[in-house]
Amino acid sequence: MVGAGVLTLPYAMSMMGWGPGSVILIMSWVITLFTLWQMVEMHEMEPGVRSDRYHELGQKAFGEKLGLYIVVPQQLLVEVGTCIVYMVTGGKSLKKFLETVCPSCQKIRSSYWIMIFASVNFALSLLPNFNSISAVSLAAAVMSITYSTIAWVASLKRGTVPNVDYGYKAHSTADAVFNFMTAMGDVAFAYAGHNVVLEIQATIPSTPEKPSKIAMWKGVIVAYLGVGFCYFPVAFIGYYVFGNSVDDNILITLEKPTWLIAAANMFVIIHVIGGYQVFSMPVFDMMETFLVKRMKFPPCFTLRFVARTIFVALTMIIGICIPFFGSLLGFLGGFAFAPTSYFLPCIIWLRLHKPKRFSLSWIVNWTCIVLGILLMTLAPIGSLRKIIVTAKHYKFFS
């Protein structure tokens, strides 16, 4: 649950301010916990009938064809987009790690660091399924909690920067509005676990006496306590210490203590390696199912090797071409993550459970739907504008 998006939360706070930023961060935690509970509950609505994929749940609600058309494109956007962001994050963290431990070493282009990071994922992508990456996923979880803790503890130890400014960092009212939109997308990107929750729950044994949702919900509670422990201190302390001078990755802003910042960047690298595998595995599953069932390719290691290598290579190339960490997060958070994490589970819940109109369940679900649609509409607009503005001042492959 805790992703690299946590590193950009102080930056998001700097574009929203204390009041609106705190409200949006806390509301997102509550809404996404609620929608995650809905998905866990809907995984097995009838004993023995399990929806092991997000699109299967969509098909149950909207029908065989329409369910696929609604859910699969959104799910692919999230998973492919996250893999691209993790490529950029891994490459930039590798670069920051070397520059921290060896300031006198010759600097290497960011594009080369992304390629180095991709080489690890080329190898790990050949692991067959979720169970086979459990050790990688566990390492990623431990690392995410560790580097998040380092980020806020190191910030607190440093103390506030001289003349810290909590005002909006914008040249005009229009800039402030677009920055606010982007920041909402940055927050949305941080809550990304919904897209693989059903696949994970599918690995848990389920019986009428002990359905899988019991164990899964316990896991969700632990995960969201971890989310709160990581996200809120990083966001609030990072913004308190640096104000609007914070970078879109707080570990870039932090310079000392050198050894601790270097260690934190290495933890980020380990985490995004594991995170890349978790988010790419459902894509591999869809790709290979399509190639075997529709294209009639024989299921074999060669098919897995070629398909997965091509996917990793494509995410690497796109990551090299669009290396804007904060803007990418804002765009994907709004355009892709808002539907799957904020309001699509609510729509499915209304379709399947049909709560009475104007009941508490009906009102809560429709509130989440309206807020989610606003987020999906506004965040990509602000982020696209920022990407265009940044691209004018950014030399690619530098």
Side-chain angles (χ1 to χ4, degrees):
M1 284 302 304
V2 179
V6 64
L7 300 174
T8 198
L9 290 179
Y11 181 68
M13 287 289 295
S14 74
M15 293 189 286
M16 293 186 292
W18 279 115
S22 302
V23 169
I24 288 173
L25 196 62
I26 294 169
M27 278 186 63
S28 291
W29 189 88
V30 173
I31 290 171
T32 54
L33 178 59
F34 170 68
T35 55
L36 200 50
W37 170 78
Q38 289 180 313
M39 294 190 71
V40 170
E41 288 290 317
M42 291 187 290
H43 175 257
E44 191 175 6
M45 294 180 66
E46 303 169 22
V49 182
R50 306 177 72 176
S51 300
D52 292 340
R53 304 285 184 274
Y54 206 142
H55 67 265
E56 291 176 11
L57 190 60
Q59 287 174 307
K60 185 182 288 187
F62 305 112
E64 289 292 320
K65 285 190 176 180
L66 185 59
L68 281 176
Y69 295 150
I70 290 174
V71 176
V72 172
Q74 290 292 340
Q75 197 174 12
L76 282 173
L77 268 174
V78 168
E79 288 157 356
V80 175
T82 302
C83 289
I84 293 168
V85 169
Y86 280 4
M87 276 287 179
V88 176
T89 309
K92 289 198 168 185
S93 295
L94 276 171
K95 182 179 180 181
K96 177 68 175 179
F97 175 79
L98 182 71
E99 291 176 352
T100 303
V101 298
C102 184
S104 60
C105 291
Q106 183 177 354
K107 295 187 184 300
I108 303 175
R109 293 178 179 179
S110 297
S111 53
Y112 295 154
W113 285 116
I114 294 174
M115 290 178 189
I116 294 168
F117 177 77
S119 65
V120 179
N121 289 298
F122 278 119
L124 289 177
S125 67
L126 301 178
L127 295 172
N129 53 42
F130 268 117
N131 286 331
S132 62
I133 64 169
S134 57
V136 178
S137 182
L138 176 62
V142 173
M143 294 301 103
S144 62
I145 293 173
T146 305
Y147 69 67
S148 299
T149 305
I150 289 174
W152 68 262
V153 169
S155 298
L156 200 60
K157 188 176 185 303
R158 187 198 186 286
T160 55
V161 297
N163 302 316
V164 62
D165 184 4
Y166 299 116
Y168 291 114
K169 191 177 180 180
H171 302 295
S172 64
T173 303
D175 279 344
V177 171
F178 283 116
N179 287 346
F180 192 95
M181 293 179 183
T182 305
M184 290 194 299
D186 290 340
V187 173
F189 186 92
Y191 296 95
H194 296 61
N195 298 278
V196 292
V197 67
L198 294 179
E199 283 88 343
I200 294 170
Q201 191 169 348
T203 67
I204 300 174
S206 184
T207 63
E209 297 77 26
K210 193 176 180 181
S212 61
K213 66 181 182 181
I214 295 175
M216 189 66 187
W217 180 239
K218 289 178 181 177
V220 169
I221 293 296
V222 172
Y224 257 72
L225 288 175
V227 167
F229 175 78
C230 293
Y231 285 17
F232 298 131
V234 172
F236 297 144
I237 295 174
Y239 181 45
Y240 171 75
V241 169
F242 295 104
N244 61 22
S245 64
V246 69
D247 291 297
D248 61 3
N249 180 341
I250 190 170
L251 294 181
I252 303 297
T253 310
L254 286 165
E255 297 290 343
K256 293 180 179 180
T258 303
W259 66 271
L260 193 61
I261 304 309
N265 277 282
M266 183 51 65
F267 295 151
V268 172
I269 293 160
I270 296 170
H271 170 251
V272 292
I273 288 172
Y276 187 98
Q277 302 310 311
V278 170
F279 278 92
S280 62
M281 197 60 72
V283 182
F284 296 154
D285 183 48
M286 284 188 234
M287 287 169 54
E288 289 162 22
T289 300
F290 174 79
L291 291 170
V292 171
K293 291 188 175 180
R294 296 289 185 90
M295 304 300 291
K296 305 301 180 184
F297 284 96
C300 59
F301 176 78
T302 304
L303 176 68
R304 186 196 307 166
F305 177 81
V306 173
R308 297 185 180 194
T309 300
I310 289 172
F311 174 81
V312 176
L314 285 173
T315 56
M316 177 191 73
I317 291 167
I318 297 170
I320 290 170
C321 293
I322 315 175
F324 309 126
F325 179 70
S327 302
L328 271 176
L329 260 61
F331 178 80
L332 290 167
F335 190 68
F337 284 71
T340 54
S341 297
Y342 284 75
F343 67 86
L344 191 53
C346 297
I347 294 173
I348 296 174
W349 183 274
L350 291 174
R351 293 275 296 186
L352 295 178
H353 285 270
K354 296 180 173 59
K356 187 178 179 181
R357 183 173 291 190
F358 301 115
S359 65
L360 179 62
S361 175
W362 188 90
I363 292 170
V364 170
N365 278 287
W366 272 108
T367 301
C368 294
I369 291 168
V370 171
L371 292 174
I373 290 173
L374 284 173
L375 177 60
M376 183 186 71
T377 306
L378 298 176
I381 296 172
S383 301
L384 277 175
R385 179 181 183 271
K386 192 169 184 181
I387 288 173
I388 293 168
V389 170
T390 307
K392 291 179 180 178
H393 301 90
Y394 193 100
K395 292 182 180 179
F396 285 107
F397 308 102
S398 63

